[in-house]
Amino acid sequence: MQAFTTMKGLVAPLDRANVDTDAIIPKQFLKSIKRTGYGPFLFDEWRYEDVGQPEMDCTNRPLRSEFLLNQPRYQGATVLLARENFGCGSSREHAPWALLDYGFRCIIAPSFADIFYNNCFKNVILPIVLDGRIMDALFAECTATEGYSLGIDLQAQRVVTPSREGFSFDVDAFRKQCLLNGLDDIDLTLQESAVIQSYETRRKSEAPWLF
Amino acid sequence: MAKTLFDKVWDQHVVKANDDGSVLLYIDRHLVHEVTSPQAFEGLRLAGRKPWRVSAAVATPDHNVPTIDRARGIEDPISRIQVEALAANCKEFGITEFGMDDIRQGVVHVVGPEQGLTLPGMTVVCGDSHTATHGAFGAIAMGIGTSEVEHVLATQCLIQKKPKVMRISVEGELPAGITGKDIVLYIIGKIGTAGGTGYAIEFAGSAIRALSMEGRMSVCNMAIEAGARCGMIAVDDVTLDYVKGRPFAPTGEQCGVAEAVWRELHSDSDAKFDHEIVLDAADIAPQVSWGTSPEMVLPVSASIPDTADARDATQKQGWSRALEYMGLEAGTAIEAIRVDKVFIGSCTNGRIEDFREAAKVATGYRMAASVKLTMVVPGSGLVKKQAEEEGLDRVFIAAGFEWREPGCSMCLAMNADRLESGERCASTSNRNFEGRQGAGGRTHLVSPAMAAAAAIKGHFVDVRNWKFR
């Protein structure tokens, strides 16, 4: 797995609460059996005038010019500002795959849906939770300032604004270590094979119907 | 120490407690479908790993399967490749699969309980958020992403932090015409789609205990729509009666031992919860969602809300977007909303009792001329067979409804069953997000009886006043 340490990137502000994973990547794209190639279809229904189909060439599709990611000032964004309950709904990991494939490495929101939050870490996207009032300030600054970028330091657990103002964020220690060191958590769990086997032996005698 | 139901099941599955408060949690049952598994199997292959315990996993294709003309196979080549990939992966790794031609095939969350693959006290996972369904059996059942599907295949474990536990008690007698679906929509309307975030929810109270297993599954199914990690209901006679005799359930001597263990699967009387909510069953009317989030839901007697009444700016913005998308105006009576299509089925409402409820309403009636299509999609091949033995299919066909083959169908419209842009649907499914049932489609979530009534009348009606024939 790739590591995530520090980054600095252009910010795009998605000012909408309860963005669900159906909106992030509509269902027709879930038919793919790959992990990559979802970027052009990220937010497909909000981004394009027509209805996207898997594997289609998006170069000449009619764009909804008012949508955030179609505005010239946000091209190349790698940090997404979002609102409450981002990533709710379906467990599809295609949502973080699409965000990553598009170029987002970090999503900052006042809250995330559980499964989506977890899926981000598995794909080296850092989801950061910041207080609603800080989020309001970041949204306002970002909207007012073309080229607005944020620095992210995972080790220090800090988000730094262009005016050097810093905000701390919480992150689970285990997930942090995995991201910083690019650890594969399946490898880590398999190091516990003996413990898993002895658990199974015990459970087989207690509850044989489970095996 | 007094324990909640969640604590009891959780504690039994802790393989190892880590210093940081996370645990290695053992997974008893892993349900697999075609959409969220191919990349996980590919991951195993790339890393040269084998599944830890193949007997824990059972697979069935459901999202992409056609609901008509099964003999013709899947026309969409991309869907077909995905379903074929599931079959090939199961074969390669030795996992049991109920394929498209198997009568046991169906929506994974209908199939699991029906086969006795879901048992009380289990940990159940699936790469699908509606795995919460299986919590109706006193199981911890969680939806996971594809990376975790791979993790469970490779290790039979997940790294988890224990969530907080909330108990939602619905007390009192459920009024006639009110179903598990109405209960859960009502709860989501009260606590919101993020109301359960960070929690496992135990649904309790006399109204929940009075539900059949089908009703309980509908309630737990939508725990995810309240943002919860999982939903659960304590084990009782209703649970044990349902499980007994199922193909994968314990038999003989083991059956008695298991039942004794399962009877302990309830919260202790003095157990402490992180949060408690008590609701009165008498307050619950048939629910109809009006917006683009399951929390935008109202009793059928209500009218579309005015954005001026929103509690804050965020809700106001959400409501106003939803009204625009749904093509609705504030003040319109819900009963005045006309529907173009009706969908009865899904992991929420695709079980035999759901079709009985819908058939009761449809008996002796014809679909309104203004309704283009009513699709009735059983949750599994066995539900279909049972419904046909009871003659429910004939009731639906006589009413002008279409009786289809089992699958997820228009709940999420990955196959050919979908809404066209602007079409309005009464749907027994679980999500009314923008585009969920087809780009531009407008979904209203309701119970099976309410959906059937809307199909007959062409608009929403209060099923409590229905003249049964």
Side-chain angles (χ1 to χ4, degrees):
Chain A
M1 204 166 88
Q2 229 187 324
F4 184 112
T5 50
T6 60
M7 68 169 290
K8 187 163 185 274
L10 183 70
V11 184
L14 183 63
D15 193 4
R16 196 178 286 191
N18 297 308
V19 171
D20 58 76
T21 53
D22 274 84
I24 297 172
I25 184 84
K27 72 286 207 148
Q28 63 269 37
F29 306 106
L30 274 53
K31 295 175 186 177
S32 166
I33 57 172
K34 302 190 203 117
R35 273 178 189 262
T36 52
Y38 299 97
F41 309 110
L42 176 70
F43 298 119
D44 199 81
E45 286 177 23
W46 295 345
R47 200 161 144 201
Y48 302 100
E49 297 279 359
D50 61 345
V51 177
Q53 292 306 327
E55 298 178 5
M56 81 192 288
D57 179 3
C58 293
T59 344
N60 294 316
R61 290 178 63 193
L63 297 172
R64 294 184 193 271
S65 55
E66 73 287 0
F67 182 61
L68 182 79
L69 300 184
N70 292 332
Q71 296 171 26
R73 60 182 287 195
Y74 298 121
Q75 298 312 303
T78 54
V79 178
L80 185 69
L81 292 187
R83 293 294 191 183
E84 293 85 356
N85 202 25
F86 187 80
C88 62
S90 152
S91 66
R92 59 188 71 166
E93 201 160 313
H94 311 67
W97 293 340
L99 287 158
L100 187 69
D101 201 49
Y102 180 87
F104 287 112
R105 302 283 319 280
C106 175
I107 305 166
I108 311 179
S111 62
F112 291 91
D114 255 359
I115 304 176
F116 176 82
Y117 183 76
N118 195 32
N119 283 341
C120 282
F121 285 98
K122 307 282 183 188
N123 292 284
V124 204
I125 295 175
L126 179 63
I128 294 177
V129 177
L130 289 180
D131 179 82
R133 269 184 303 184
I134 299 173
M135 290 306 303
D136 287 343
L138 292 180
F139 266 98
E141 281 178 28
C142 180
T143 311
T145 321
E146 196 149 336
Y148 187 84
S149 68
L150 286 171
I152 317 290
D153 184 338
L154 176 58
Q155 179 62 50
Q157 296 181 213
R158 302 266 303 161
V159 175
V160 182
T161 70
S163 58
R164 311 297 307 159
E165 193 179 5
F167 303 104
S168 301
F169 61 88
D170 283 332
V171 60
D172 175 75
F174 174 74
R175 285 167 164 156
K176 180 178 173 180
Q177 284 313 311
C178 284
L179 281 191
L180 284 174
N181 301 305
L183 300 177
D184 175 342
D185 58 5
I186 295 180
D187 268 344
L188 293 176
T189 300
L190 285 174
Q191 288 171 21
E192 307 288 351
S193 291
V195 190
I196 302 170
Q197 278 158 356
S198 74
Y199 171 89
E200 283 183 327
T201 307
R202 177 168 65 79
R203 287 292 281 168
K204 270 179 198 162
S205 65
E206 286 172 2
W209 57 86
L210 295 173
F211 292 87
Chain B
M1 205 182 84
K3 283 185 173 185
T4 65
L5 166 63
F6 181 85
D7 293 336
K8 289 180 184 179
V9 181
W10 178 272
D11 291 351
Q12 278 175 346
H13 289 86
V14 174
V15 171
K16 186 179 178 230
N18 300 316
D19 298 336
D20 65 355
S22 68
V23 305
L24 203 55
L25 193 75
Y26 192 78
I27 303 304
D28 296 316
R29 179 65 66 213
H30 186 184
L31 301 169
V32 179
H33 65 81
E34 80 277 21
V35 179
T36 56
S37 65
Q39 297 87 351
F41 284 115
E42 184 64 11
L44 287 187
R45 264 192 295 272
L46 289 172
R49 290 172 178 138
K50 292 260 171 282
W52 181 275
R53 179 163 76 81
V54 286
S55 64
V58 177
T60 192
D62 53 8
H63 287 60
N64 280 282
V65 299
T67 57
I68 43 168
D69 288 342
R70 275 287 165 82
R72 291 176 62 186
I74 303 174
E75 278 181 23
D76 176 349
I78 309 177
S79 283
R80 191 173 63 236
I81 287 168
Q82 198 167 52
V83 170
E84 287 170 355
L86 178 69
N89 284 325
C90 288
K91 196 165 174 224
E92 177 185 342
F93 290 102
I95 291 168
T96 301
E97 191 213 10
F98 305 144
M100 234 169 73
D101 301 327
D102 192 315
I103 194 165
R104 296 170 294 179
Q105 177 270 336
V107 183
V108 71
H109 308 307
V110 175
V111 170
E114 184 173 81
Q115 289 297 315
L117 291 162
T118 306
L119 294 172
M122 271 185 164
T123 45
V124 181
V125 298
C126 174
D128 191 286
S129 59
H130 290 109
T131 309
T133 310
H134 309 266
F137 292 81
I140 292 180
M142 297 180 291
I144 55 177
T146 298
S147 295
E148 289 194 322
V149 169
E150 185 179 340
H151 197 125
V152 174
L153 284 170
T155 70
Q156 213 51 52
C157 292
L158 278 179
I159 301 161
Q160 288 281 306
K161 273 238 160 115
K162 193 174 177 175
K164 293 180 283 185
V165 186
M166 177 191 308
R167 178 163 65 184
I168 300 180
S169 304
V170 187
E171 300 290 357
E173 198 178 331
L174 210 54
I178 307 303
T179 64
K181 181 65 164 290
D182 299 300
I183 297 179
V184 73
L185 284 172
Y186 177 78
I187 290 171
I188 295 162
K190 286 268 175 212
I191 72 173
T193 50
T197 304
Y199 284 94
I201 298 179
E202 179 179 342
F203 298 100
S206 53
I208 299 290
R209 284 197 298 276
L211 293 174
S212 64
M213 284 315 295
E214 286 86 349
R216 295 176 189 189
M217 283 189 258
S218 301
V219 172
C220 288
N221 173 276
M222 291 188 71
I224 184 70
E225 267 64 61
R229 185 91 63 87
C230 61
M232 291 180 101
I233 294 174
V235 171
D236 61 9
D237 288 338
V238 176
T239 327
L240 299 182
D241 289 346
Y242 181 96
V243 169
K244 203 175 247 172
R246 303 258 161 199
F248 287 81
T251 51
E253 199 182 315
Q254 270 197 30
C255 182
V257 181
E259 282 201 11
V261 172
W262 294 342
R263 282 200 183 277
E264 298 302 312
L265 296 172
H266 53 79
S267 290
D268 294 331
S269 57
D270 48 351
K272 293 273 180 294
F273 292 85
D274 299 294
H275 191 53
E276 285 232 51
I277 295 172
V278 181
L279 301 168
D280 187 346
D283 293 341
I284 308 178
Q287 303 285 303
V288 182
S289 77
W290 59 268
T292 51
S293 162
E295 70 184 27
M296 297 173 182
V297 66
L298 286 167
V300 62
S301 54
S303 298
I304 300 302
D306 193 320
T307 53
D309 297 326
R311 70 168 176 264
D312 56 31
T314 304
Q315 190 175 61
K316 186 173 183 166
Q317 188 203 30
W319 282 11
S320 112
R321 262 198 73 86
L323 289 178
E324 193 192 328
Y325 181 86
M326 294 296 289
L328 292 171
E329 279 179 28
T332 305
I334 285 182
E335 295 203 59
I337 299 172
R338 304 194 66 82
V339 300
D340 303 303
K341 286 182 177 168
V342 177
F343 172 63
I344 305 176
S346 84
C347 61
T348 315
N349 284 127
R351 300 182 181 79
I352 189 67
E353 184 182 271
D354 300 313
F355 299 110
R356 288 180 189 143
E357 294 284 330
K360 237 187 272 175
V361 168
T363 300
Y365 284 98
R366 282 289 297 176
M367 184 169 85
S370 58
V371 176
K372 295 180 207 168
L373 172 70
T374 296
M375 254 193 304
V376 188
V377 184
S380 72
L382 288 167
V383 169
K384 180 169 190 262
K385 180 168 173 273
Q386 170 85 32
E388 288 172 357
E389 281 166 10
E390 296 180 19
L392 305 183
D393 58 326
R394 293 193 293 279
V395 172
F396 295 133
I397 293 163
F401 301 177
E402 289 193 12
W403 177 242
R404 299 283 188 104
E405 299 292 333
C408 297
S409 182
M410 209 166 69
C411 172
L412 87 167
M414 264 188 85
N415 68 354
D417 309 337
R418 66 177 68 110
L419 297 180
E420 299 303 323
S421 186
E423 281 183 339
R424 190 179 298 285
C425 180
S427 178
T428 66
S429 55
N430 40 56
R431 290 195 173 127
N432 52 353
F433 298 153
E434 287 182 24
R436 171 79 179 181
Q437 294 192 294
R442 295 161 170 167
T443 303
H444 295 270
L445 304 174
V446 288
S447 72
M450 285 288 289
I456 303 292
K457 295 295 178 190
H459 57 89
F460 292 108
V461 291
D462 190 337
V463 77
R464 290 174 299 184
N465 304 326
W466 192 255
K467 290 193 173 59
F468 291 97
R469 288 183 177 166

